[in-house]
Amino acid sequence: MKVQHQLNVRSYTAEGFVSRVQRLIRNTVIPYQHEVLWDRVPGVEKSHAAMNFVNAGKALRGEEPGDGFYGMVFQDSDVAKWLEAAAYALAAENNPELEAQVREMIGIVADAQDADGYLDTYFTIKDRDRRWTNLREAHEMYCAGHMIEAACACFEATGDRRLLDVMEKNAEHIYRRFVEEGAEGWPGHPEIELALMKLYRLTGNEHCLALCKHLIDVRGTDPTFYAREAEKRGWSVWGSDGGDLEYTQSQAPVREQKDAVGHAVRAVYLYTAMADLASETGDAELLEACRRLWESITRRQMYVTGGIGSTVHGEAFSTDYDLPPDTAYAETCASIGLMFFASRMLENEVRGEYGDILELAFYNTVLAGMQLDGKRFFYVNPLEVNPGISGKVATQRHDLPTRPAWYPCACCPPNVARLVGSLGKYAYGESADTAYCHLYAAGQATFDNGLRLRCETQYPYDMTVRYRAEGQGTLAVRIPAWSRETRIRVQGEPCAPEVREGYALFPVRGETEIEITLDGTPRFLLPSTRIPRLAGMTALKRGPLVYCFEGVDNGNVKALKLRRKEKPEVSAFREELLGGTVTMRVEARRSLERDALYSDAPEETEACTATAVPYYTWGNRGENEMRVWMNVTDAED
Amino acid sequence: MKVQHQLNVRSYTAEGFVSRVQRLIRNTVIPYQHEVLWDRVPGVEKSHAAMNFVNAGKALRGEEPGDGFYGMVFQDSDVAKWLEAAAYALAAENNPELEAQVREMIGIVADAQDADGYLDTYFTIKDRDRRWTNLREAHEMYCAGHMIEAACACFEATGDRRLLDVMEKNAEHIYRRFVEEGAEGWPGHPEIELALMKLYRLTGNEHCLALCKHLIDVRGTDPTFYAREAEKRGWSVWGSDGGDLEYTQSQAPVREQKDAVGHAVRAVYLYTAMADLASETGDAELLEACRRLWESITRRQMYVTGGIGSTVHGEAFSTDYDLPPDTAYAETCASIGLMFFASRMLENEVRGEYGDILELAFYNTVLAGMQLDGKRFFYVNPLEVNPGISGKVATQRHDLPTRPAWYPCACCPPNVARLVGSLGKYAYGESADTAYCHLYAAGQATFDNGLRLRCETQYPYDMTVRYRAEGQGTLAVRIPAWSRETRIRVQGEPCAPEVREGYALFPVRGETEIEITLDGTPRFLLPSTRIPRLAGMTALKRGPLVYCFEGVDNGNVKALKLRRKEKPEVSAFREELLGGTVTMRVEARRSLERDALYSDAPEETEACTATAVPYYTWGNRGENEMRVWMNVTDAED
C-alpha cells in the first residue's frame, strides 16, 4: 500500500483548530515576517534578507550593491520560507496586498539570478569567485533548496510560474556542475535533495531526480572531501576544518548509516529526502536505512514532546537516552523536519507510528515554537524551565523562559509558518483508491482519486471526529496507538472496521458517515528505565497533547509530587484561556519549602491540587517555572 | 576567641584513617609524581615541569635552553606543589632518597631565578621582555605563590632555608614592582596572597604582609585594567580580552563582593587570603565580606559532597541552587580551596559550621579525587555517572567515569598530596590556652601552648573518639551539627560539657581522658526545594561520609527507589573492600526495566536491597553507573 503523493495544498480547506492556527499565520505571522524581512519593525533584530536580493541584483547589473550583504550565510532562506508560507496563505484565501508583496519578492529574487542560473546573494554580492568552494559551510544548496520549495508552492498555490522557472534554471545550473561536470562533494546542510523531489514531481524534469539521487548517493563516500575542500580554499565561514563528519551526516554513505547523528535539522532533512527518493525509485536498501534511522530517533533519542536533537553542542543528537529536560535543545525546525520525515515514510509504507509521531511533533514542539499571538517564537524547546537559571547560566543559555521576537538566525519562525500553512499535505494523503487521514484535521479535502471528505471535530480537545466521505474507494483513518478504547460508528451504527497497521479502513460507496471517538482519558506516562534524567518521574498526556505544569498556576513546581493513581479532572473547553484550551487538575502533594541546602529533617508535605496546561501553550503568561516531567509520590495521604 | 595559627606540620603525627591516606601519599603518590615531573613514566601525559626549570637555568646562564618550555603557562606550580607535599612527607618520616630528590628540585628552582629575584620558567625561557605584561592570564604570581608555599613547607619541615631565601627574594621583587614602583594590576589567579601570609608569619617580613594587603585591596578597583592590559600587550595565552571580570573575581573591590562567582578555585584561594588577612589585621569589613562569601558558597552553591563550582564553563560557580549532579564540575582543587577557606575562617572565629564543611569537603570530594591505590586522580567530581553518556556527550565530556593517570593541567593530583600531607594543620589549631580539634584525626598532637594530645579513633567508620590530653588549658572539640545524639565521658564519667558555637569545651588539668561517641545513625538527606535538579530525591549519609550507589553493587541504579522510612543496615568494617570501608544496605524498590521510550503502562516494581558505599570510594571497581541522589518511593509494599 503506497501513498504516492501528498495532497495538493489547494485540496484542503481547514476548519476548527487547524484553521485557527492557519489564520494566525495568515493574519499575523506572514505580515509581520514580511516587515521583518524588509527591516521595517523597530527594535527587532536586523534581517536585511530582502535587501540582500535587491543588492545582489544591483551587483549583477554592474551597479554598486547598495549596503552589501548582511546576515547569516543562509539569509536567503528566510525569504524563501516566507514566500512558501505566503503562497500557502494565498491558496487559502484571496489577499491582493499579499499577492503584490509576493510578486515584488519574486521579482527581486529573479533579478538576483546570475545568467548561468546561479542564485545566492552572499556570494553574488561578496565574491563571485568563491562560488561552490565551500559546500561544507556556505549553504548555497540549502538556500537553493528552500527557494525551490517556495517556487513549487507559488506555482501550486497560484499557478504563477515565474519563480518556478527561475528555480528550474537554478537546478539545471547545479545539475550541470555536479552531475554533468562531475564536481566533487555534497552540501553541508541537506535540504536541496527534498526540494528537488518536489520540483521533479511538479515538473517531471528528470535532471531534478538525477541530481537528488546523485547528492544522496555521494554523501559520506569520501571522508576526506570536506577537509580537502577546507585546505584548498583557505577561508572559512565558521571555522570548520572539515572534521566532525557526523555533524553533516557525512560519516558514512547514507545506506550504511545506523544511528541518527549530528545536527538534528540537517539529519531529518536528509532522511526526508532519502525516504522521498526511496518511495519514488523503490530503492529497498535506502528504505531500510530510513527505517533504521527512524527507529534511532523515535525509540532512543526523542523527547516525549516530539522534540529531537537534545544537545546545544552542534544543535545535535546526543546519544541514546540522553534526554535532559532543562538543557534541551529540541529545535522547533528539527521537529518540523521530523514531521517531513514521518510524512515521507508514510509515502513508503502506511504505518500508524509515523502518523502518531507526525501528530506528536505538531501538537507539542512545533506549536510550542510560536507564541499564541503569533508574534514571538522559540528556537529551543526545553521541557523544564527554572527562572534565574534557564536562559542565564552557561549550560542553559539557549533555554529561554519566554519567546524572543526574532533571531539573528531566524530559521524557525518562517519554518513554522510554512508548515502550518501546508498542514493539509501532512494531514491527508492518497493512493489510487484510498484517501488517508493521518491527522484529525477539521475541514474539507478533495482527492485526485475522486474521493471527497468533510471532517468535523474540535480535536485535539474534543475526542470525537466525524467524517462525511463521498465517492468510491476507501477511507483510511489513523487510530492513534495512545487511544486505548476507540468507539467507531458508520452511518450511525457501531462498527469494528478492519484496522491495518494502525489505520482503520472504511469502504466508501457514495456518501458515508463515520464517527470516531478516541480515548480522552488523561494518562501518566513513564519513561524508559534507561533515561538517566527522567528516572522516577512522570508526564501527563491527554490525546496527542503533552501537558506541563507552570509556576503561574502552581507556585513552586519543583515542590509538587504527582500521584499516578489519581484521575486528573479534565476541564471543559476554556475559551478565555491561552487561546482556548482544556486544562487538567489533579490531586497532588506539595513539599513544604526547605530553605536549608541539605537537611535530615523529615519531609513535610501538604495536599494540593496541581493544574496542568498543554505544553504548546507554555510561556504565554510571562516568565515562570515550567515542568513536563514531574516528581511522583506513592504515599497514601 | 581567636585561633592565631594553624598547627605546625611537625606537631601532629597521624594514626588511623589519616595515617593510612598519608602513607599512600608518601609511598605512592609522591614517588610517582616525582617521576611524572621528570617525564619518566611511560604512557603518561608529558609534564616537562622539572625540565622547564633546568632549561630556564640554562637560559639565564646564556646557554641554549635545551628543548625549551613545554606545558601550561603555570607548569611551574606542579613542581611547587610536589615540593610542598614532599616536605610534609619528610616531616613525617626520614627518607634519604626523597630528601635527595627535594634537594635536587630546590637546586633547579634556585638556578632558574633571575638576578632580580624574578622566577618563572615560561617567560624566562620564552621571552623575558614579556614579564609582567599579562597578569590576567599568565599566572606568574600564581606560580610564585605555590613556590612560596613550598618554601615555607620545606623550611618548616626540614629547617632547610634554601628555597625560603629564593622565594623571599622573589617576594621582594614583586613587592618592589607592585608596591614600591606602583605597577598596575592584580593577578588573574589568586594564590600568592595566601602564600604571602604564610611567608609573613614564618619570616616576619613586613613586605610580605604589605604586598598581600596591596594585592587584595587593589583587586576589582579598576574594571578596565585587564582590557587595557590586553590591548597594550597585543598577545594572549588563552584568548581572553580582559572581559568577564567575574571569572577572576575582579568585578568589584573584594569588600563589596556579595556572591561567590567565577572560577571556583580562584575564588576560594582569594577568600582564603582575605580571611587570613582579616585575622591578621583585625579588618572587620574584610571579615564581613568573607562571611557573606562563605554563606553564598555553603548555603546556596555547594554540593552535598562539599564540591563547589558546578559548571564546566569557566570551571566556575554557576548561580544559586544550580547544582546538577551529572554535569557537575566540582573540581578537586576547589574543595581543597574550600578547606583552606574554612580553616582561615576558623582563625577568625571558631564556629562549628566551618569545621563541619572542612570535614565534609575532605572526606568526600577531596578524597574522591584520588583513586584508592593513589595512582589515578579525578579533576572533576560528578555526583552521578551514566556509562555511555558521562565522559562522552558534549555536555558531560568532563565528567569521566574513571580516574585518568595524569592531566595536561595537573593541578589536582599534587594538590591532594600537599593537603593530605599537612592535614594536621586543618585538623588542629590553637590559641593562647586552648587546643582546638576541628577534625577527628587519630594520632598525637603537641601545641605551642604546652597542651599535648593523643587521639584514638577509627573515625570516620567508628563513631567513638578518645582523647588523652595533658597540660593546662582547654580542649575545644567540634561536635558536628549532624551528630543528633552525642555521648560524652570525661575520666570515664558521663558529662555534659559547655558547648560554644559547636565546640565542646573541656578543661585540661594534668592528664584528662575524654571519650566522645558521635551519632552514627544513617540519615537520608533532603535537598532544598529550591534546587531544580534534586527535586524529589534523597541522599544517604553516615557521619561525615556521603554514600553513593554503584552499578557494580546494584545493577541499574536509575531503576532503584529508596524508602526513607527504612533503616539502612550498617556493615561491620570490611577490611577487604575498597581499601577498608563500611557499606550500607537498605531495603528498596526496583522498577522493572521499561524499554519503550515512553509508555502509559502501570509501573511494575519489585523489592530489592540496595547497597551503598562511601562516595570517596566510587569508581574504583571499573567503569560503572553511580548516583548520590536517589529516587524515592513512599509506597508501602
Side-chain angles (χ1 to χ4, degrees), chain A residues 321-355:
Chain A
Y321 307 111
D322 183 31
L323 295 161
D326 54 350
T327 61
Y329 202 72
E331 186 178 337
T332 308
C333 287
S335 287
I336 291 171
L338 180 60
M339 290 181 67
F340 296 167
F341 186 23
S343 77
R344 304 314 196 278
M345 288 308 282
L346 282 166
E347 297 192 3
N348 280 285
E349 48 189 3
V350 175
R351 289 175 52 196
E353 70 167 296
Y354 302 129

Side-chain angles (χ1 to χ4, degrees), chain B residues 183-200:
Chain B
E184 275 193 302
W186 57 90
H189 198 316
E191 154 62 31
I192 195 171
E193 300 87 343
L194 74 87
L196 287 165
M197 292 305 297
K198 287 188 176 183
L199 190 55
Y200 166 66

